[in-house]
Amino acid sequence: WWPLATGQFVGALFGYKVFSVICHQIPERSWRSLGFPLAVCSRCTAIYVGGLVGLLVYPLAVGSFGQRDYASRSRRWLLLSLLPMLIDVILDWAGIIRNTFITRTLTGLIVGVAAALYLYYLIVESVTEWQPAGIPRPSPTGSPDRIGDKDHDQ
């Protein structure tokens, strides 16, 4: 991890401590940077990377399905995305099939993308509800809308 590699031990310790709340941080299950394990495991790293990918593809997803269909679909995608991860964890825990670095990374990516798509939609909808009339609001498709603009609403 770059703080360790560059001798910034306080920063590295802080990062590892913060992420220890949400991740087991087993070094053998973590991606490495500059010879040091990241502060989160491969699955958590993949969730974060998948989240970034989900944010980048959000406008395409909303444009493909339309605003109304998108809400229910994104919720279903999120719930369905948890199944492969759950199966991977349960099979490993039960000793039936050992999960691998690849399965942990892939299931994390799937959940990360789905979570970002769903959470971004919720955030956009929440912001839209708080906007005063006449103020441009964020649009899921990228074009600004105006709330309460009589010429625009007709």
Side-chain angles (χ1 to χ4, degrees):
W1 197 38
W2 66 265
L4 278 176
T6 58
Q8 299 175 16
F9 299 111
V10 174
L13 180 62
F14 177 75
Y16 278 100
K17 198 67 163 159
V18 167
F19 285 110
S20 72
V21 175
I22 57 171
C23 181
H24 56 72
Q25 298 179 323
I26 299 172
E28 298 79 32
R29 291 186 170 202
S30 298
W31 288 95
R32 296 190 167 276
S33 175
L34 302 173
F36 294 95
L38 296 180
V40 290
C41 68
S42 62
R43 191 183 318 262
C44 290
T45 302
I47 289 170
Y48 300 139
V49 170
L52 178 60
V53 171
L55 293 177
L56 295 174
V57 301
Y58 177 81
L60 299 172
V62 171
S64 298
F65 298 111
Q67 189 69 15
R68 227 167 260 239
D69 284 344
Y70 182 79
S72 63
R73 285 178 189 252
S74 65
R75 189 177 313 112
R76 270 184 263 146
W77 290 341
L78 179 57
L79 293 174
L80 287 174
S81 76
L82 293 169
L83 287 177
M85 183 182 290
L86 188 62
I87 291 168
D88 190 44
V89 169
I90 289 172
L91 291 177
D92 183 62
W93 180 74
I96 298 170
I97 297 175
R98 299 289 303 167
N99 63 24
T100 66
F101 198 84
I102 299 295
T103 62
R104 290 187 296 268
T105 300
L106 289 176
T107 58
L109 278 171
I110 293 167
V111 169
V113 169
L117 290 172
Y118 182 64
L119 293 174
Y120 192 86
Y121 171 79
L122 291 179
I123 291 167
V124 168
E125 285 301 304
S126 296
V127 168
T128 302
E129 290 177 17
W130 295 341
Q131 290 287 344
I135 302 289
R137 67 177 178 164
S139 171
T141 58
S143 61
D145 290 336
R146 292 199 178 270
I147 302 171
D149 186 349
K150 292 178 186 165
D151 296 331
H152 183 270
D153 291 342
Q154 293 177 349

